[in-house]
Amino acid sequence: MNRNYSEMTQRIILNLLKVITSIMFICFLLFFSNNKVYINYDSIPYAASSYLLKNNDKDLAHKYAWNLLETKVSPEIFQNLCCSTEYRLSMAENKTAFFSHLPAYTTKSGYIFLIRLVSDTMKVDEYVAMKLITNISVVLITLLACMYFINKSLFIYLSIFPILLISQILGLGRLLTPDALIALILLGSSCLLVSNRFFFGYALMLFSILLRPINIIFFSMACLIFLQRVEFKKFFIMISLGIILYFLNSWYFGSLGYWKHFYSNLIYLPSTFIDFNPTFSFNLYLNVLRDKFFWMIASPELNRFVGIILLNSMLSSFAIYKRMQDKHNEIFVAALLSYGTVCSFILFPVPDHRLYSGLVIASSLMLLSGFTRKLN
């Protein structure tokens, strides 16, 4: 009786420690995500795109986004966002140039519609709506990770917080971009897939394509689970759904196209996309890929992502090669996410942490759970 009572008391104390740690971490995230004004430039075209959903007037949308921004930031920040470069000055003063760039943002249609929904439902402006989406996303990432590991030993449970910090979840919490939401969806869909809830897991993955079209890569990689299960029909159906959604979204919102997007992000950003049609060069692509890879390796802020992604890829590959027991497919899902990250970088080598944080979070947590499943 005393032994049972002692075990129950110990279990209560351990669970209480887990809950307290989680609350402290969430408070830390929310405080340092909001203790200063963080407005990245991308939030301006997102705000304009969302405004167009309720008033399809481009002149008003341009004016609204910039005027609202001016009321929310200091003159110094506004000056930086509107006039610090030739490109930004063109975006602020030339409406035609501004809207020639807008397809790069409107193709993230899921995020644009969500901004509109949150703004109208909560009766807040678009910038506040983006901040709410970001804050809620990082909190839910933390809660989801805690729930997934709640039955693990205390030391394994506590390991999720260093992973979240190394993965730059704090940086995600400061941005007004869809990346925190993408990280939440990648983690959520991974948890669903390893729980054999394929319908909801793949539905989330499909939705992520509408948040950032390049997520078609991760969706396609996740579909390899069906090949592993020798379910070829389901594999081709899901791949087809992803491709159809990708091309419908790109067509409807007038996607800029791969090379124009690649060139403007990684080589030269023009002040307008009107009559901008750079010629594709495979040698140029290879040079950019090499330069951006070495840039990331040399950067103390970014080389952690190279290291973690390669580490996750090698560990998961080793486990698959050795046929380690992985009944829940956690290691396999971690491998697919890691391989997908490598493929994504090869196709679009942007040296920016926000593109990799969600993938590192999901793959690292799946790998941690897979390797420690028998150590509770």
Side-chain angles (χ1 to χ4, degrees), residues 122-251:
M122 304 294 292
K123 306 300 180 186
V124 295
D125 64 62
E126 288 78 4
Y127 292 102
V128 174
M130 283 183 267
K131 194 63 179 175
L132 284 172
I133 294 169
T134 295
N135 282 177
I136 292 171
S137 294
V138 295
V139 169
L140 289 178
I141 288 169
T142 305
L143 289 176
L144 182 58
C146 292
M147 290 170 60
Y148 193 77
F149 283 84
I150 192 66
N151 293 320
K152 301 280 189 180
S153 73
L154 180 63
F155 296 108
I156 296 173
Y157 179 88
L158 293 177
S159 299
I160 66 178
F161 301 110
I163 288 175
L164 292 176
L165 286 175
I166 293 171
S167 304
Q168 284 281 46
I169 192 173
L170 182 58
L172 287 182
R174 292 170 173 167
L175 297 171
L176 305 185
T177 64
D179 299 286
L181 181 59
I182 291 171
L184 173 62
I185 286 177
L186 288 173
L187 179 58
S189 58
S190 298
C191 292
L192 289 167
L193 291 176
V194 299
S195 302
N196 288 328
R197 296 174 182 173
F198 293 114
F199 176 82
F200 296 105
Y202 283 111
L204 274 179
M205 279 278 192
L206 268 175
F207 178 66
S208 74
I209 297 172
L210 300 180
L211 299 177
R212 194 179 291 282
I214 200 171
N215 288 344
I216 182 69
I217 295 173
F218 312 120
F219 175 78
S220 300
M221 294 298 295
C223 289
L224 293 178
I225 292 174
F226 289 123
L227 291 186
Q228 182 204 37
R229 295 163 62 94
V230 197
E231 296 178 351
F232 301 109
K233 184 178 179 181
K234 290 182 179 179
F235 170 76
F236 286 113
I237 289 173
M238 293 307 298
I239 285 287
S240 299
L241 282 175
I243 293 173
I244 290 170
L245 182 63
Y246 173 84
F247 280 107
L248 279 177
N249 183 68
S250 300
W251 167 77

Side-chain angles (χ1 to χ4, degrees), residues 189-345:
S189 58
S190 298
C191 292
L192 289 167
L193 291 176
V194 299
S195 302
N196 288 328
R197 296 174 182 173
F198 293 114
F199 176 82
F200 296 105
Y202 283 111
L204 274 179
M205 279 278 192
L206 268 175
F207 178 66
S208 74
I209 297 172
L210 300 180
L211 299 177
R212 194 179 291 282
I214 200 171
N215 288 344
I216 182 69
I217 295 173
F218 312 120
F219 175 78
S220 300
M221 294 298 295
C223 289
L224 293 178
I225 292 174
F226 289 123
L227 291 186
Q228 182 204 37
R229 295 163 62 94
V230 197
E231 296 178 351
F232 301 109
K233 184 178 179 181
K234 290 182 179 179
F235 170 76
F236 286 113
I237 289 173
M238 293 307 298
I239 285 287
S240 299
L241 282 175
I243 293 173
I244 290 170
L245 182 63
Y246 173 84
F247 280 107
L248 279 177
N249 183 68
S250 300
W251 167 77
Y252 187 81
F253 293 100
S255 173
L256 299 173
Y258 169 73
W259 185 245
K260 189 182 290 186
H261 201 54
F262 181 100
Y263 199 98
S264 61
N265 274 269
L266 297 164
I267 301 172
Y268 168 70
L269 181 60
S271 57
T272 179
F273 274 135
I274 299 172
D275 298 325
F276 179 71
N277 191 27
T279 303
F280 177 77
S281 167
F282 188 66
N283 286 333
L284 181 60
Y285 159 77
L286 290 177
N287 289 334
V288 171
L289 177 61
R290 179 200 60 202
D291 293 344
K292 298 304 181 184
F293 177 70
F294 286 120
W295 180 3
M296 286 193 73
I297 288 179
S299 169
E301 290 296 319
L302 296 173
N303 56 19
R304 76 183 76 174
F305 293 101
V306 178
I308 295 172
I309 290 165
L310 292 178
L311 176 64
N312 288 355
S313 298
M314 288 185 285
L315 286 176
S316 54
S317 297
F318 173 79
I320 293 170
Y321 174 72
K322 289 293 184 179
R323 298 185 179 180
M324 290 181 61
Q325 191 173 19
D326 185 28
K327 290 182 179 179
H328 293 264
N329 267 339
E330 290 166 317
I331 295 174
F332 187 57
V333 168
L336 295 179
L337 289 172
S338 300
Y339 302 156
T341 308
V342 174
C343 293
S344 176
F345 181 81

